[in-house]
Amino acid sequence: MHRRHLLLSLASATCLPACGGGDQGGSDGSGTAVPPAPADLLDLTHVTLTLPVKVDGTTGGTPARVLKTTELLPSSRAPRGPESDWFRSVWIDGTGARGEAAVMLWCPVTGALSSATSDSPRTEFRHQRQTGVNDGWTIGAGSPVAMQLEMRPRQMPPQRGTVIVAQIHGWRMQDVSGATVNAPPLLLVQIEPRSAGGWQLRAKIRRSADGSIAGHDSLVLQTFASLDEAPWLVLQMAVADMQVHINGQTMPIGASWRDIGAYYKAGVYLDEIGSDPAQGGRLLMRRMVFR
């Protein structure tokens, strides 16, 4: 998408409706209504999904299982795709009656970690510009698409109470010795408790890629009183002209990020680990599109 058209799209967008189409649900044979499959609710054509379990299905340890795009989409072997305790369609009202559906993402604090350098588990999508290839667009050139999400928190982890729901993550960079290393996240968007009570959706942008300028700048995007009364949180973000454009506002990007590749991530990424498998982060997502 042309950069000008991308920014106009973000500026003119309002509250986003749920995605539809495809199989609109049926019955599981017992008379219970079945919600539409995840691929009918979210755009899964250019994402992978990291689960908080290893390939053998156990939690804890490394590496966490990653589902490729071809595994996420419906097939003759799995007509609804790979639904599980971590990733499945649900009715939003929590009953078996037909109504509005969403995809539930769940990550326990006991979840498997994606690598030895990861410090928290996740149930998280990673966008791929080219399906099947983990490449990154250059921050200085801007993002080829905007990411649009609509989500509602249902459970938060017990210690910090924070879930990272979206990222613009760095791809590759050179350290001071000239070695190629993984770059840190440029932007984190998280749901977190407010010091004055209630909750907030906050964006944090890292001032420099190499740590030469310490710290983050942040922007509160939305507040709400309680999880029980949490609204649908709309998030729209893109990178252009060395700025993050997010929900109609802009955050400047430091010059050290210009030549670093980046990619989008979205879902439930915890900021803690623990020993109780009933504790963790749970999120409903009814829209995820890249355009």
Side-chain angles (χ1 to χ4, degrees):
M1 179 181 294
H2 190 277
R3 179 178 300 171
R4 180 174 179 271
H5 291 168
L6 177 64
L7 297 183
L8 288 175
S9 173
L10 287 173
S12 62
T14 56
C15 186
L16 302 171
C19 294
D23 178 8
Q24 293 303 303
S27 171
D28 62 4
S30 65
T32 301
V34 178
D40 292 317
L41 299 168
L42 305 178
D43 179 4
L44 304 180
T45 58
H46 284 271
V47 294
T48 60
L49 176 62
T50 300
L51 298 176
V53 291
K54 293 177 288 190
V55 172
D56 63 5
T58 60
T59 58
T62 61
R65 184 181 180 187
V66 177
L67 297 178
K68 300 176 182 178
T69 304
T70 52
E71 296 174 286
L72 286 172
L73 297 176
S75 65
S76 58
R77 295 182 58 186
R80 291 179 56 84
E83 294 186 277
S84 65
D85 289 343
W86 330 109
F87 165 73
R88 59 187 171 88
S89 295
V90 297
W91 296 115
I92 290 174
D93 64 6
T95 73
R98 289 177 181 269
E100 190 175 12
V103 173
M104 186 274 294
L105 300 173
W106 159 246
C107 182
V109 294
T110 56
L113 305 180
S114 59
S115 70
T117 58
S118 297
D119 55 9
S120 299
R122 68 191 78 198
T123 302
E124 188 179 40
F125 296 106
R126 173 177 176 154
H127 178 252
Q128 295 179 326
R129 180 173 53 180
Q130 179 182 346
T131 301
V133 179
N134 279 341
D135 62 346
W137 35 269
T138 302
I139 290 173
S143 58
V145 294
M147 179 170 70
Q148 302 178 358
L149 307 172
E150 195 170 353
M151 58 211 165
R152 177 187 285 174
R154 306 314 297 153
Q155 181 178 344
M156 304 295 282
Q159 297 179 44
R160 294 187 177 92
T162 296
V163 167
I164 297 165
V165 295
Q167 300 186 57
I168 296 176
H169 204 293
W171 181 220
R172 295 280 190 259
M173 62 179 287
Q174 289 187 332
D175 65 12
V176 292
S177 70
T180 299
V181 297
N182 290 329
L186 164 67
L187 183 83
L188 299 177
V189 182
Q190 58 196 47
I191 299 170
E192 62 187 11
R194 302 178 67 203
S195 58
W199 301 83
Q200 64 188 16
L201 179 69
R202 181 166 69 105
K204 297 169 46 181
I205 193 166
R206 186 181 175 101
R207 290 174 180 153
S208 67
D210 55 9
S212 58
I213 304 175
H216 297 77
D217 295 314
S218 69
L219 178 66
V220 174
L221 303 171
Q222 194 167 347
T223 63
F224 53 97
S226 70
L227 292 181
D228 290 338
E229 300 174 1
W232 286 100
L233 305 174
V234 176
L235 182 62
Q236 304 167 79
M237 54 199 296
V239 174
D241 303 321
M242 290 297 288
Q243 294 179 318
V244 173
H245 298 259
I246 184 165
N247 287 16
Q249 303 185 68
T250 58
M251 302 180 74
I253 299 173
S256 64
W257 290 97
R258 181 176 297 277
D259 297 324
I260 293 177
Y263 52 92
Y264 291 119
K265 305 190 84 174
V268 176
Y269 179 23
L270 303 185
D271 193 27
E272 61 187 76
I273 58 174
S275 59
D276 184 350
Q279 298 288 348
R282 191 180 308 271
L283 184 76
L284 296 180
M285 187 178 290
R286 67 180 184 184
R287 183 175 176 89
M288 180 178 67
V289 295
F290 303 92
R291 63 187 183 193

